[in-house]
């Protein structure tokens, strides 16, 4: 439960220079574990360069933005030495030194990077030197410089506290107080015996010198260089935890269950359990950069005591103030629930009417018809003050509640009572004729000017202008509203406050505007108006606070909204005071201008607000981007304006906040991801933005924050560029590949269709070919049968000559006959000779004249061969155009001339392919060989070798292009074994020819 809220302190202007600041002018706010602290035992506090407050508790480190605590523990950040935080220090580089019960950790808050340093004892104090080094008290004294830790050997004893003032460093050890001057020289001072035996919690430098806060009390180092005890302001004997001298010149002393305060040389003030409502004892006092004081307690969380420009006074013993007004003598008249008194500029309060004299009535209006006469509008009429007692002024009004007593521009006095409106002049008290037109005659408010008279009742608002009375606000909630307050501005703009429907505003010649909770109205019904014509602000009080409305914003309110500044919120209350409501006075006297301040009645005295506040009432909003969370976390600092994410990070949570420690509940936020969102997300108090399935690209995340009473045109804004790279499947190349795949697929489908068509066509063609092949196979089979038949008949079907089969059967018989008669035949000079005939290549003739020429040539060759061979010889067609003439009974000498004549006759054959072409002659090449071969052991070689040699001779002549006939001659030393062992006869012949052992003899 929150105990204290807000910040209140008066900055007095010249007429109030005699006012003494009080500890009770500080309003405090309280946070405990119910607000997010992991532990109510808070031991340390510091502020980083971004403006965040950091608190060290017994269970973790906390970062605070005024709204929520972010907790860091050893479970989430293992580099944190311990969860029990004892000391915090922010150095000039913005790093935070975290001292714990188990050692030291260095934190870089911009990137949330923790680094463990090699100090492992409990850290009790830390200071930063001018050169950037940090000294650490952790039982022993350590120095950390450029990341290196070393022990300071000049002090051997256990060190507990450190302090740096100007060029001197103070070190509190177990029994001595050490001092190091600017030259590095050390001095030491002995501590009192009672201080040696008790812990020293703090050492600090004040205007009174060096102060030591210890379990045994408060001590000071005297000019005589001795440490002596100092009596506490209440002369009590209690532990002291810290002494702080703030930037305002005030001194604070934190003691056990007490807090002492003194402004400069004024009297000490004490805040005890009775004032605070509980019994905290503060472990550390810390002043932030805005001058606000933070108090951490051992068992009660965190308190914040703030300074502002408002103060609350309770001059009377009665706290409830109903009405107030400025006297002709320049003093402030206060009407409380039980008495009436005068407050002068020195703060002295003088009672005018006691509770008995007031007769238990409430003062609704205060009026001075003359400087020496005072009237009161009470619950039973109008009374004047006569020698500390009340007398009725108008017997006619006795018993009526009078809420309005106000002077008229015509010189008289308007009186608004329960039963109608009255006018008092020299002619006496008159009952106004206007009452006849009022639906309700209960007068609640009235405003008079030279141009118009505006009257508020419990049933509507009326205006008298040019001797005519009109009821205002027809067709609006104003028509039947209960009117609480009315004001007429110098330009005749009318503002009227209603009980349930907000404030109605009518500028001259225009329609009514309505200011309600939906467009900026704060804290409910308005109780009073005050217009400051020099600044242009309209001050408005409610039962829960005070705010002001800028007059110039009324012209463009429909477009830009109303410009409103909150002055006092329902959560503001001072130290030592309980919760109270504001400005709930009675009647018309609810605001007074006195000593350049506006004074308002409350249930806890009066509130004084400077009419011209120094600067803006509400502090400027410090908008911060905290981190971007996806699959990774990206802490953000003030300088981060661009963040490049990973390709796969498409679900983002963007955390943001505003550093507002006084009224965080009055902040509103909205955000937009430009490039993705088309409109703003109005999130009010939520401080994170969640996006899912973001596309790749560059986006600008913009967040705005404002106070609830402000328009968005006054909002504070910050932004960061978020870049999400494209995955490969989102690149142009990938899309082109997909396009290529689609095109390929379509082409593939077309190809398959076409292939299917071709396949069907091919199947049909295959079927035709199959049928054709079957016919061809049948024909081929017939041809084969014919060839077999021909082979069986020993005749070639085309030429009519002997075929190879005949040769294979007949020639071995001839060889056998020759071998049986070899001796006789050799004596006669006879031998078997084989003549191979080969005409020139016929392919060019076939290509030129067609295949028919071969039939003609074959017929003529056959005729010549059949005619020119002898009866004992026979001709065999080996294959195609290769013929063999076998000479069975011929002398060796006759073979060459006979073969030559036969080749010449064949070469002289003339062929006429067609009637249009002249006759052609073919070159014929002939090669002959004998059996047996005429070389040593020639009878060992078969006739096949002779046939091969004859064929080889014909081919060599043909390759040489030399027509005629020839044979291969052998050297005398060559024998048959040269051919018998050779697997390739042609290769062996070529080799022997190259060696000169065989040569070609051409006839």
């Amino acid at each position: 439960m929150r105990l204290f809220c807000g910040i209140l302190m008066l900055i007095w202007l010249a007429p109030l220079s005699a006012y003494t600041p009080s500890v009770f002018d500080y309003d405090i706010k309280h946070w405990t574990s119910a607000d997010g602290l992991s532990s109510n035992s808070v031991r340390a506090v510091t502020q980083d360069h971004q403006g965040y407050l950091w608190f060290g508790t017994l269970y973790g480190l906390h970062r605070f933005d005024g709204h929520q605590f972010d907790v860091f523990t050893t479970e989430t950040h293992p580099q944190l030495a311990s969860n029990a935080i004892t000391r915090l220090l922010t150095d000039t580089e913005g790093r935070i030194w975290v001292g714990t019960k188990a050692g030291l950790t260095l934190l870089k808050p911009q990137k949330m990077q923790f680094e463990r340093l090699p100090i492992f004892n409990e850290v009790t104090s830390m200071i930063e030197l001018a050169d950037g080094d940090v000294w650490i008290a952790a039982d022993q004294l350590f120095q950390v410089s450029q990341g290196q830790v070393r022990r300071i050997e000049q002090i051997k004893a256990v060190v507990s506290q450190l302090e740096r003032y100007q060029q001197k460093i103070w070190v509190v050890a177990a029994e001595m107080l050490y001092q190091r001057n600017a030259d590095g020289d050390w001095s030491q001072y002995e501590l009192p015996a009672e201080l040696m035996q008790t812990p020293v919690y703090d050492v600090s430098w004040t205007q009174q010198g060096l102060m030591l806060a210890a379990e045994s009390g408060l001590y000071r180092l005297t000019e005589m260089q001795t440490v002596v005890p100092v009596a506490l302001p209440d002369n009590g004997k209690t532990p002291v935890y810290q002494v702080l001298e703030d930037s305002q010149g005030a001194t604070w002393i934190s003691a056990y269950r007490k807090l002492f305060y003194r402004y400069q040389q004024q009297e000490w003030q004490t805040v005890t359990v009775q004032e605070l409502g509980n019994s905290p004892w503060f472990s550390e006092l810390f002043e932030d950069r805005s001058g606000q004081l933070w108090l951490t307690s051992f068992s009660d969380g965190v308190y914040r005591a703030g300074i502002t420009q408002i103060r609350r006074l309770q001059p009377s013993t009665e706290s409830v103030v109903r009405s107030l007004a400025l006297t002709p003598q320049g003093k402030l008249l206060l009407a409380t629930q039980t008495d009436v008194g005068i407050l002068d500029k020195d703060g002295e309060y003088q009672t005018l009417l006691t509770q008995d004299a007031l007769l238990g009535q409430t003062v609704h209006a205060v009026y001075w018809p003359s400087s020496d006469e005072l009237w009161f509008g009470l619950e039973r009429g109008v009374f004047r003050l006569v020698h500390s007692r009340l007398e009725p002024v108008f017997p006619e009004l006795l018993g009526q509640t009078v809420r309005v007593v106000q002077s008229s521009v015509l010189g008289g006095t308007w009186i608004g009572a329960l039963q109608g409106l009255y006018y008092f002049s020299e002619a006496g008290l008159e009952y106004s004729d206007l009452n006849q037109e009022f639906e309700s005659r209960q007068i609640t408010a009235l405003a008079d000017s030279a141009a118009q008279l505006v009257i508020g009742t419990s049933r509507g608002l009326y205006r008298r202008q040019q001797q005519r009375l009109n009821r205002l606000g027809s067709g609006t909630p104003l028509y039947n509203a209960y009117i609480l307050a009315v004001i007429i501005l110098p330009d005749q703009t009318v503002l009227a406050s209603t009980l349930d429907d907000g404030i109605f505003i009518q500028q001259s010649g225009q329609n009514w505007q309505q200011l309600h909770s939906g467009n900026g109205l704060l804290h409910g019904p308005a109780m009073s108006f005050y217009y400051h014509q020099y600044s242009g602000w309209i001050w408005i009080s409610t039962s829960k606070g005070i705010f002001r409305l800028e007059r110039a914003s009324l012209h463009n309110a429909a477009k830009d909204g109303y410009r409103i500044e909150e002055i006092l919120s329902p959560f503001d209350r001072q130290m030592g005071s309980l919760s109270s409501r504001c400005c709930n006075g009675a009647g018309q006297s609810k605001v007074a201008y006195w000593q350049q301040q506006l004074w308002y009645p409350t249930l806890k005295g009066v509130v004084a607000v400077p009419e011209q506040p120094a600067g803006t009432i509400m502090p400027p909003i410090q908008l911060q981007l905290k981190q971007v969370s996806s699959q990774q976390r990206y802490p953000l600092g003030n300088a981060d304006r661009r963040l490049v994410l990973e390709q796969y990070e498409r679900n983002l949570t963007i955390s943001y906040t505003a550093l507002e420690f006084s009224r965080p509940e009055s902040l509103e936020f909205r955000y937009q991801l430009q490039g993705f969102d088309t409109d703003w997300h109005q999130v009010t108090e939520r401080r994170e933005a969640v996006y899912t399935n973001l596309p790749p690209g560059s986006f600008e995340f913009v967040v705005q924050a404002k106070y609830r009473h402000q328009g968005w045109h006054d909002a504070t804004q910050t932004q960061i560029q978020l870049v999400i790279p494209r995955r490969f499947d989102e690149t142009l190349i990938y899309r082109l590949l997909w396009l290529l795949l689609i095109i390929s697929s379509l082409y593939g489908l077309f190809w398959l269709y076409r292939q299917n068509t071709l396949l069907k066509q091919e199947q049909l063609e295959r079927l035709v070919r199959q049928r054709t092949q079957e016919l061809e196979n049948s024909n081929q089979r017939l041809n084969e049968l014919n060839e077999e038949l021909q082979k069986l008949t020993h005749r070639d079907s085309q030429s009519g000559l002997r075929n190879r089969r005949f040769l294979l059967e007949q020639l071995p018989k001839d060889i056998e006959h020759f071998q049986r008669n070899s001796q006789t035949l050799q004596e006669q000079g006879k031998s078997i000779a084989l003549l191979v005939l080969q005409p020139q290549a016929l392919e060019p003739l076939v290509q030129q004249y067609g295949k028919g020429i071969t039939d003609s040539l074959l017929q003529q060759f056959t005729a010549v061969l059949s005619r020119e061979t002898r009866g004992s010889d026979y001709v065999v067609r080996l294959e195609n155009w290769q013929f063999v003439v076998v000479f069975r009974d011929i002398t060796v000498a006759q073979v060459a001339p006979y073969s030559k004549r036969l080749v010449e006759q064949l070469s002289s054959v003339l062929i006429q392919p067609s009637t249009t072409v002249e006759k052609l002659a073919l070159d014929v090449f002939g090669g002959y060989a004998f059996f047996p071969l005429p070389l040593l052991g020639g009878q060992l070689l078969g006739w096949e070798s002779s046939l091969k040699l004859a064929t080889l001779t014909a081919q060599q002549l043909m390759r040489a292009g030399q027509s005629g006939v020839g044979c291969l001659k052998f050297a005398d030393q060559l024998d048959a074994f040269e051919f018998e062992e050779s697997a390739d006869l042609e290769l062996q012949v070529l080799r022997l020819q190259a060696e000169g052992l065989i040569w070609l003899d051409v006839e």
Side-chain angles (χ1 to χ4, degrees), residues 578-595:
L578 300 177
S579 176
S580 59
R581 297 175 65 192
C582 172
C583 315
N584 52 338
Q588 199 169 17
S589 299
K590 303 190 192 73
V591 59
Y593 176 69
W594 183 51
Q595 294 186 334

Short mmCIF file of all heavy atoms in Angstrom, two decimals, residues 578-595:
data_model
loop_
_atom_site.label_atom_id
_atom_site.label_comp_id
_atom_site.label_asym_id
_atom_site.label_seq_id
_atom_site.Cartn_x
_atom_site.Cartn_y
_atom_site.Cartn_z
N LEU A 578 -1.39 12.76 6.67
CA LEU A 578 -2.13 11.65 6.11
C LEU A 578 -2.81 12.08 4.83
O LEU A 578 -2.71 13.22 4.40
CB LEU A 578 -3.16 11.15 7.14
CG LEU A 578 -2.57 10.67 8.47
CD1 LEU A 578 -3.68 10.27 9.41
CD2 LEU A 578 -1.61 9.52 8.24
N SER A 579 -3.49 11.16 4.18
CA SER A 579 -4.16 11.48 2.92
C SER A 579 -5.20 12.57 3.13
O SER A 579 -5.92 12.60 4.14
CB SER A 579 -4.83 10.21 2.38
OG SER A 579 -5.55 10.51 1.22
N SER A 580 -5.28 13.48 2.19
CA SER A 580 -6.22 14.59 2.33
C SER A 580 -6.78 14.97 0.98
O SER A 580 -6.14 14.75 -0.05
CB SER A 580 -5.53 15.81 2.96
OG SER A 580 -4.45 16.22 2.16
N ARG A 581 -7.95 15.56 0.99
CA ARG A 581 -8.55 16.06 -0.24
C ARG A 581 -8.27 17.56 -0.34
O ARG A 581 -7.99 18.23 0.62
CB ARG A 581 -10.05 15.81 -0.22
CG ARG A 581 -10.40 14.33 -0.20
CD ARG A 581 -11.89 14.14 -0.06
NE ARG A 581 -12.58 14.67 -1.24
CZ ARG A 581 -13.90 14.86 -1.29
NH1 ARG A 581 -14.64 14.57 -0.23
NH2 ARG A 581 -14.47 15.32 -2.36
N CYS A 582 -8.34 18.04 -1.58
CA CYS A 582 -7.96 19.43 -1.83
C CYS A 582 -9.18 20.28 -2.18
O CYS A 582 -10.11 19.80 -2.84
CB CYS A 582 -6.95 19.50 -2.97
SG CYS A 582 -6.58 21.17 -3.54
N CYS A 583 -9.15 21.49 -1.73
CA CYS A 583 -9.95 22.57 -2.31
C CYS A 583 -11.45 22.30 -2.29
O CYS A 583 -12.17 22.63 -3.24
CB CYS A 583 -9.48 22.86 -3.74
SG CYS A 583 -7.69 22.94 -3.89
N ASN A 584 -11.90 21.65 -1.26
CA ASN A 584 -13.31 21.33 -1.15
C ASN A 584 -14.01 22.32 -0.22
O ASN A 584 -14.71 21.94 0.71
CB ASN A 584 -13.50 19.90 -0.65
CG ASN A 584 -12.70 19.66 0.62
OD1 ASN A 584 -11.75 20.36 0.91
ND2 ASN A 584 -13.12 18.66 1.39
N GLY A 585 -13.78 23.61 -0.47
CA GLY A 585 -14.40 24.65 0.35
C GLY A 585 -15.89 24.73 0.12
O GLY A 585 -16.47 24.04 -0.72
N ALA A 586 -16.53 25.63 0.87
CA ALA A 586 -17.97 25.80 0.77
C ALA A 586 -18.27 27.15 0.12
O ALA A 586 -17.53 28.11 0.27
CB ALA A 586 -18.61 25.73 2.16
N GLY A 587 -19.39 27.23 -0.62
CA GLY A 587 -19.82 28.51 -1.16
C GLY A 587 -18.91 29.04 -2.25
O GLY A 587 -18.32 28.30 -3.04
N GLN A 588 -18.78 30.41 -2.24
CA GLN A 588 -18.09 31.07 -3.34
C GLN A 588 -16.65 31.46 -3.00
O GLN A 588 -15.86 31.74 -3.89
CB GLN A 588 -18.87 32.32 -3.76
CG GLN A 588 -18.51 32.82 -5.14
CD GLN A 588 -19.47 33.88 -5.61
OE1 GLN A 588 -20.22 34.47 -4.83
NE2 GLN A 588 -19.46 34.14 -6.91
N SER A 589 -16.29 31.51 -1.74
CA SER A 589 -14.96 31.98 -1.34
C SER A 589 -14.00 30.80 -1.23
O SER A 589 -13.62 30.37 -0.14
CB SER A 589 -15.06 32.73 0.00
OG SER A 589 -15.89 33.86 -0.14
N LYS A 590 -13.57 30.27 -2.41
CA LYS A 590 -12.72 29.08 -2.43
C LYS A 590 -11.33 29.37 -2.97
O LYS A 590 -10.53 28.45 -3.12
CB LYS A 590 -13.34 27.97 -3.26
CG LYS A 590 -14.73 27.54 -2.82
CD LYS A 590 -15.16 26.29 -3.56
CE LYS A 590 -16.63 26.01 -3.37
NZ LYS A 590 -17.48 26.95 -4.13
N VAL A 591 -11.02 30.59 -3.30
CA VAL A 591 -9.70 30.94 -3.80
C VAL A 591 -9.42 32.40 -3.45
O VAL A 591 -10.33 33.23 -3.47
CB VAL A 591 -9.58 30.69 -5.32
CG1 VAL A 591 -10.60 31.51 -6.10
CG2 VAL A 591 -8.17 30.97 -5.81
N ALA A 592 -8.17 32.67 -3.11
CA ALA A 592 -7.77 34.05 -2.81
C ALA A 592 -6.35 34.26 -3.32
O ALA A 592 -5.52 33.35 -3.26
CB ALA A 592 -7.84 34.32 -1.31
N TYR A 593 -6.08 35.48 -3.81
CA TYR A 593 -4.76 35.83 -4.29
C TYR A 593 -4.08 36.68 -3.21
O TYR A 593 -4.56 37.75 -2.84
CB TYR A 593 -4.87 36.60 -5.60
CG TYR A 593 -3.53 37.08 -6.10
CD1 TYR A 593 -2.59 36.19 -6.57
CD2 TYR A 593 -3.21 38.43 -6.08
CE1 TYR A 593 -1.36 36.62 -7.02
CE2 TYR A 593 -1.98 38.88 -6.53
CZ TYR A 593 -1.06 37.98 -7.00
OH TYR A 593 0.16 38.41 -7.43
N TRP A 594 -2.95 36.16 -2.71
CA TRP A 594 -2.25 36.84 -1.61
C TRP A 594 -0.76 36.57 -1.72
O TRP A 594 -0.33 35.41 -1.86
CB TRP A 594 -2.79 36.33 -0.26
CG TRP A 594 -2.19 37.01 0.93
CD1 TRP A 594 -2.09 38.34 1.15
CD2 TRP A 594 -1.64 36.36 2.09
NE1 TRP A 594 -1.52 38.60 2.37
CE2 TRP A 594 -1.24 37.40 2.98
CE3 TRP A 594 -1.48 35.05 2.48
CZ2 TRP A 594 -0.66 37.13 4.21
CZ3 TRP A 594 -0.92 34.79 3.70
CH2 TRP A 594 -0.50 35.82 4.56
N GLN A 595 0.01 37.64 -1.69
CA GLN A 595 1.47 37.56 -1.72
C GLN A 595 1.97 36.71 -2.91
O GLN A 595 2.78 35.80 -2.75
CB GLN A 595 2.01 36.99 -0.41
CG GLN A 595 1.75 37.92 0.76
CD GLN A 595 2.42 37.43 2.03
OE1 GLN A 595 2.65 36.24 2.20
NE2 GLN A 595 2.73 38.35 2.93
#
